[in-house]
């Protein structure tokens, strides 16, 4: 989630297994473990800001994009930082601004507004693919980190479409999922790469698809009013889904047991009523004071971590009945690696 704001925080995002999150700031970047919350790395730059930080699990390589009031690097470059050497070891330059970067152990994926480039993750990266997309100013895209699945999901050439490409099999024909009628606002894959979650710019519905068949498996309703979706994440075994939006509410859905989700009392008569009345609503939800946040499931069962734009983080516990309790709160930007 990146924003050109006046705030010190320019970017915040989880790593592939959501055990850590990275922050880009006007004066460098930081890495934190989620639970327990602890600053794991801090790199301060006197000469510029970082607007995008992509981790590769917890290894020493990170992808950086410059930004903020005084960018550390040009916004059309991707810099691969090796923290063991405390310097950048790979540089990729493009003709337009870099919107996002996705990493896996063997690939670097760079997302521009209308194109996606795929490279080998080597000291001298080789370009493997170039894909065209519709306008993608948010840099939407998801890359499966699983060693046995190299799936890449990104906006297709038509609004509301998602293209699925197996980077491990160049002979396999890419598939198109018609996810929404309007432009996409978020695209997420589960850790195994078997499930795709999407939302549109309306932000009222989240749809889940089987990546192998393209079949829609679930349609989940966040709410009735339009909203900007900031984050969608599966838990590790893909039985639950969490969603955050600009409403300041984090919703938790069951995608293994659909009956656990809430349904309208009019649901039995759904064939006679508008689709709204047959929707599946979150079985649990909680609010945070700062609406702009990202969310992920914690390492402990039935916990969710929220990382907010004001530098705050929350850990909440929920049960099967949908009851939520706030377990902890902290201001992570005020922490040091000694805390």
């Amino acid at each position: 989630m990146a924003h050109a704001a006046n705030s010190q925080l320019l970017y915040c995002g989880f790593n592939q297994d959501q055990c850590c999150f990275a922050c880009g700031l006007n004066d460098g970047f930081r890495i934190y473990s989620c639970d327990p919350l602890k600053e794991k790395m801090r790199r301060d730059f006197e000469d510029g800001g970082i607007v995008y930080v992509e981790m590769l699990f917890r290894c020493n390589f990170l992808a950086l994009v410059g930004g903020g009031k005084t960018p550390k690097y040009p916004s059309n470059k991707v810099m691969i930082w090796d923290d063991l050497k405390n310097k950048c070891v790979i540089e990729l330059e493009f003709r337009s601004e870099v919107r996002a970067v996705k990493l896996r152990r063997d690939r670097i994926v760079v997302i521009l507004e209308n194109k996606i480039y795929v490279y080998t993750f080597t000291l001298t990266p080789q370009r493997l693919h170039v894909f065209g997309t519709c306008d993608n100013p948010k840099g939407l895209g998801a890359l499966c980190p699983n060693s046995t699945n190299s799936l890449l999901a990104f906006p297709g050439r038509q609004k509301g479409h998602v293209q699925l490409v197996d980077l491990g099999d160049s002979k396999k024909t890419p598939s198109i999922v018609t996810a929404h009628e309007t432009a996409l606002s978020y695209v997420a894959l589960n850790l195994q790469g078997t499930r795709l979650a999407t939302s549109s710019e309306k932000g009222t519905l989240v749809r889940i698809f089987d990546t192998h068949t393209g079949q829609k498996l679930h349609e989940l309703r966040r709410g009735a009013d339009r909203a900007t979706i900031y984050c969608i994440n599966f838990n590790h075994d893909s039985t639950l889904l969490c969603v955050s939006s600009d409403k300041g509410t984090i919703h938790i859905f069951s995608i293994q047991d659909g009956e656990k989700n809430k349904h309208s009392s009019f649901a039995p008569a759904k064939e006679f009523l508008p689709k709204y009345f047959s929707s599946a609503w979150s079985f649990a939800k909680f609010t945070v004071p700062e609406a702009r946040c990202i969310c992920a499931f914690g390492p402990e069962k039935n916990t969710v971590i929220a990382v907010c734009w004001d530098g705050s983080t929350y850990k909440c516990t929920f049960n099967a009945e949908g009851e939520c309790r706030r377990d902890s709160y902290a201001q992570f930007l005020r922490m040091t690696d000694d805390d």
Side-chain angles (χ1 to χ4, degrees), residues 132-135 154-163 176-177 184:
T133 71
C134 62
D135 290 345
F154 55 90
R157 291 183 179 275
Q158 293 186 48
K159 285 186 177 181
H161 289 193
V162 177
Q163 189 163 336
I176 299 292
V177 174
L184 299 166

Side-chain angles (χ1 to χ4, degrees), residues 11-296:
Y11 172 84
C12 193
F14 293 106
N15 70 339
Q16 286 82 356
D17 60 7
Q18 293 126 39
C19 68
C20 298
F21 63 93
C23 297
L25 304 111
N26 277 312
D27 57 358
F29 67 90
R30 300 179 195 174
I31 305 294
Y32 299 86
S33 59
C34 289
D35 189 17
L37 178 67
K38 185 174 178 63
E39 185 181 285
K40 306 297 285 185
M41 182 195 300
R42 175 194 290 244
R43 298 294 175 260
D44 295 323
F45 299 143
E46 294 181 359
D47 55 346
I50 300 297
V51 77
Y52 200 95
V53 186
E54 172 76 353
M55 299 178 67
L56 179 57
F57 290 98
R58 282 163 285 183
C59 83
N60 51 299
F61 291 109
L62 302 100
L64 307 178
V65 179
K69 296 176 182 177
T70 309
K72 169 70 173 173
Y73 310 109
S75 62
N76 67 325
K77 288 186 177 183
V78 173
M79 312 297 291
I80 302 297
W81 175 273
D82 183 345
D83 205 62
L84 293 179
K85 297 181 179 179
N86 201 36
K87 66 177 185 178
C88 290
V89 294
I90 298 172
E91 177 180 322
L92 297 170
E93 185 174 0
F94 302 89
R95 294 182 179 178
S96 60
E97 185 175 330
V98 175
R99 299 297 185 181
V101 186
K102 305 298 176 184
L103 298 179
R104 51 178 284 133
R105 299 188 194 280
D106 57 353
R107 295 290 183 268
I108 302 171
V109 175
V110 181
I111 304 175
L112 310 182
E113 184 154 349
N114 295 104
K115 285 185 179 179
I116 290 181
Y117 291 85
V118 180
Y119 296 84
T120 58
F121 200 151
T122 53
L123 283 177
T124 307
Q126 302 299 309
R127 193 173 78 183
L128 300 175
H129 306 283
V130 181
F131 301 108
T133 71
C134 62
D135 290 345
N136 184 19
K138 293 182 177 181
L140 301 181
L143 179 62
C144 179
N146 195 296
S147 60
T148 61
N149 190 342
S150 303
L151 192 68
L152 174 65
F154 55 90
R157 291 183 179 275
Q158 293 186 48
K159 285 186 177 181
H161 289 193
V162 177
Q163 189 163 336
L164 299 174
V165 176
D166 185 351
L167 298 180
D169 186 357
S170 58
K171 296 180 181 179
K172 191 174 181 180
T173 304
S175 59
I176 299 292
V177 174
T178 304
H180 301 273
E181 293 180 358
T182 56
L184 299 166
S185 65
Y186 208 88
V187 173
L189 289 170
N190 64 349
L191 273 175
Q192 300 77 21
T194 57
R195 297 291 182 267
L196 166 73
T198 66
S199 63
S200 76
E201 60 187 3
K202 290 182 179 178
T204 54
L205 294 172
V206 174
R207 291 180 175 137
I208 299 176
F209 301 87
D210 182 315
T211 59
H212 180 66
T213 64
Q215 179 185 357
K216 184 173 71 175
L217 303 176
H218 306 279
E219 183 167 284
L220 310 171
R221 182 167 290 277
R222 179 213 55 81
D225 300 328
R226 291 180 71 100
T228 299
I229 301 296
Y230 288 133
C231 188
I232 299 175
N233 265 317
F234 293 86
N235 67 343
H236 281 205
D237 63 3
S238 304
T239 58
L240 299 170
L241 190 82
C242 61
V243 180
S244 67
S245 74
D246 62 354
K247 299 297 184 182
T249 303
I250 294 170
H251 294 266
I252 304 166
F253 298 90
S254 173
I255 50 178
Q256 182 182 53
D257 180 7
E259 292 304 311
K260 185 183 290 187
N261 295 319
K262 296 179 180 177
H263 297 81
S264 167
S265 58
F266 294 102
K270 60 185 178 182
E271 63 250 45
F272 306 110
L273 296 169
K275 186 192 274 187
Y276 175 88
F277 292 99
S278 61
S279 295
W281 301 70
S282 59
F283 75 90
K285 61 183 179 180
F286 64 92
T287 59
V288 292
E290 168 58 51
R292 290 179 294 178
C293 74
I294 58 174
C295 59

Side-chain angles (χ1 to χ4, degrees), residues 324-335:
C324 292
R325 179 185 76 244
R326 191 175 89 180
D327 285 350
S328 64
Y329 160 82
Q331 283 284 335
F332 62 87
L333 288 178
R334 299 176 187 173
M335 297 178 69

